[in-house]
Amino acid sequence: MLRRIALLAIVLAMAPGCTTVKGWFGGGKVKPNQPAELQKLASPIAVKKLWSISLGDGEDRSWLRLHPVLDSGRLYGVNDEGEVVAIDAATGKRLWVASAVEMKGKRSKLKFWSRETIEAGLTGSPGVGSGLVVVGGRNGEVVALSSDTGEKRWTAKVTSEVVSAPLVLAGRVIVRSNDGRVFGFDVADGSRKWVFDRGVPTLTVRGNGTPVAGNGLVYLGYDDGSVIALREEDGLQVWAQAVAEPDGRTELDRMSDVDGELQLGDQEVFASSYHDKTVALSAANGRPLWSHDVGSYAGLAMLSDKLLLSDKVGNVWALDRATGNPLWKQDALRNRQLTTPVVQGEYAVVGDLDGYLHWLRLDTGVVVGRTRIEHAALRGTPQVSPEGVLFAVSNEGKLSAYQLGN
């Protein structure tokens, strides 16, 4: 039931309001909530597809926002058959495929709201580090595989499904379950070292932001609108800070999840709430440094001078990293259910509900490039390699690689 409520929340989250917007592109009225029509680009930048493969069955309409993870020239992804797939990032060649959890059922795609036919499966993106690929499952399974061979190293269990990617550190694997608990496992053998428990509201955006770590602390965004810092070694809370206070007449109005990607600077943690708030906090003690009244159901991208986000109605924003002041706003992609932005060269890149990737200039926000992976939504955050290659996966499991230039 909680899963269905969360899925319903995602669908409702896509409804930005009841106002009819006129003249976005010089035309007449646009129907409320209708995705903005894509306009032909005058002089688009060159985008080259390097390769494309299928990972297997994708997440379909689950809103898991699955994405591959890049590490040491390899991509690691998951599919809806409970498998982990390792891919050569340069060529798209499969290096190994490993079954992480045993599938005991199969989803019926005719039943949008029903998942009773599935009894197992992977529900989160992989976490990679310390020679391991770690994935989480629908029944609380945590499975660690060798990143070289896919051989299973250890298994563990948490108290509910895992929809966020595990964080793999030198000594710990940090796993967040969907009931608000966070677990610290020994990276070598999977033994549980600690658990942190913090409840979640009745109605949420189904949080799947991956924890981030620095200076011995682990930082997490929570469904109640707060950011929490825990000690990596023993899970003790160091500080908690509200990003956005839940308010409103209904539970939907009060949704204030800090979801998607947090960003960790030298001395700051940057977080964005579904309740229209983005903040910078002191990484040491959680003290607020600045806030701005725009938020996201996804997460943030960070550059040396700015933060990027796509808000819940499809605007893409650039905020000054030092002050939070807006640098630009692009509304040409409204209602297109955008992914978290990523940076490729001099451009921000977002995916949308129709399978398109869009390139925006970092200095102005002008849309200057576009390509389509397939006729299926992009939900997961694209990934960019140190060599500047972008990787994105559709919710039907098609993974493609792109570079800029001919």
Side-chain angles (χ1 to χ4, degrees):
M1 178 60 71
L2 287 177
R3 187 180 301 127
R4 294 181 190 174
I5 290 172
L7 283 169
L8 177 61
I10 283 289
V11 173
L12 293 175
M14 295 304 101
C18 299
T19 302
T20 298
V21 182
K22 300 180 181 180
W24 284 346
F25 306 103
K29 292 183 178 180
V30 178
K31 294 180 180 180
N33 311 332
Q34 181 175 323
E37 181 180 350
L38 298 180
Q39 302 300 296
K40 184 177 180 179
L41 303 177
S43 300
I45 62 172
V47 178
K48 179 182 179 180
K49 179 187 288 189
L50 299 178
W51 52 259
S52 187
I53 65 167
S54 173
L55 293 177
D57 284 351
E59 64 177 272
D60 195 39
R61 298 174 176 176
S62 301
W63 278 93
L64 296 171
R65 298 174 56 222
L66 298 176
H67 61 77
V69 175
L70 184 67
D71 184 72
S72 301
R74 291 184 176 187
L75 287 163
Y76 300 92
V78 301
N79 62 36
D80 203 41
E81 293 92 59
E83 295 174 331
V84 181
V85 184
I87 301 152
D88 185 296
T91 65
K93 179 182 177 181
R94 290 177 181 82
L95 301 175
W96 54 257
V97 179
S99 178
V101 297
E102 180 182 356
M103 296 297 295
K104 300 179 181 179
K106 188 66 177 178
R107 171 175 35 180
S108 170
K109 294 189 177 182
L110 297 178
K111 297 182 179 180
F112 182 88
W113 295 111
S114 176
R115 298 186 66 87
E116 285 84 358
T117 55
I118 292 184
E119 299 176 14
L122 298 176
T123 48
S125 301
V128 183
S130 299
L132 298 177
V133 181
V134 185
V135 291
R138 183 166 285 109
N139 296 315
E141 308 95 334
V142 179
V143 182
L145 310 170
S146 165
S147 59
D148 287 333
T149 65
E151 179 184 1
K152 192 172 291 186
R153 292 290 179 83
W154 52 259
T155 62
K157 191 83 170 177
V158 297
T159 49
S160 70
E161 66 178 340
V162 179
V163 297
S164 61
L167 173 64
V168 185
L169 304 172
R172 292 283 181 267
V173 174
I174 312 299
V175 179
R176 175 182 174 177
S177 61
N178 207 39
D179 58 7
R181 294 183 176 95
V182 184
F183 297 80
F185 297 101
D186 187 277
V187 74
D189 60 14
S191 58
R192 187 200 293 186
K193 296 302 182 182
W194 53 260
V195 59
F196 173 80
D197 190 0
R198 184 181 180 92
V200 296
T202 303
L203 191 64
T204 79
V205 189
R206 202 180 191 211
N208 55 3
T210 303
V212 297
N215 301 315
L217 299 181
V218 176
Y219 304 92
L220 304 103
Y222 258 86
D223 298 358
D224 62 359
S226 60
V227 174
I228 308 295
L230 307 177
R231 291 201 320 207
E232 173 189 329
E233 179 66 22
D234 54 21
L236 292 179
Q237 180 177 305
V238 176
W239 56 259
Q241 178 61 53
V243 172
E245 295 290 348
D247 57 28
R249 297 176 58 187
T250 68
E251 289 187 7
L252 183 61
D253 292 335
R254 291 191 290 272
M255 289 171 62
S256 56
D257 305 51
V258 176
D259 200 2
E261 292 84 354
L262 301 177
Q263 293 294 342
L264 184 61
D266 295 331
Q267 301 180 35
E268 316 96 336
V269 179
F270 301 98
S272 190
S273 166
Y274 176 81
H275 207 54
D276 296 329
K277 189 74 69 175
T278 298
V279 302
L281 307 174
S282 165
N285 57 30
R287 178 175 60 88
L289 302 175
W290 57 253
S291 69
H292 183 69
D293 292 337
V294 61
S296 175
Y297 64 85
L300 299 166
M302 182 176 69
L303 293 87
S304 61
D305 60 343
K306 61 174 66 72
L307 300 170
L308 304 172
L309 67 111
S310 49
D311 67 23
K312 60 190 178 186
V313 297
N315 299 311
V316 184
W317 294 78
L319 305 180
D320 185 279
R321 178 171 159 175
T323 65
N325 293 330
L327 300 174
W328 51 256
K329 170 187 172 183
Q330 176 56 263
D331 65 359
L333 304 174
R334 283 180 65 89
N335 300 335
R336 298 195 65 85
Q337 301 176 11
L338 303 179
T339 66
T340 303
V342 294
V343 176
Q344 184 183 28
E346 299 177 355
Y347 307 97
V349 188
V350 293
D352 76 8
L353 81 172
D354 287 326
Y356 286 101
L357 290 163
H358 307 271
W359 279 258
L360 292 71
R361 288 186 58 92
L362 284 175
D363 55 352
T364 63
V366 174
V367 181
V368 293
R370 182 183 303 131
T371 194
R372 194 175 205 176
I373 293 182
E374 64 172 337
H375 293 264
L378 305 180
R379 305 294 189 202
T381 305
Q383 308 293 299
V384 180
S385 73
E387 295 76 27
V389 177
L390 181 140
F391 307 93
V393 64
S394 77
N395 66 359
E396 295 294 337
K398 186 173 183 179
L399 174 64
S400 299
Y402 299 92
Q403 70 178 16
L404 298 177
N406 295 315

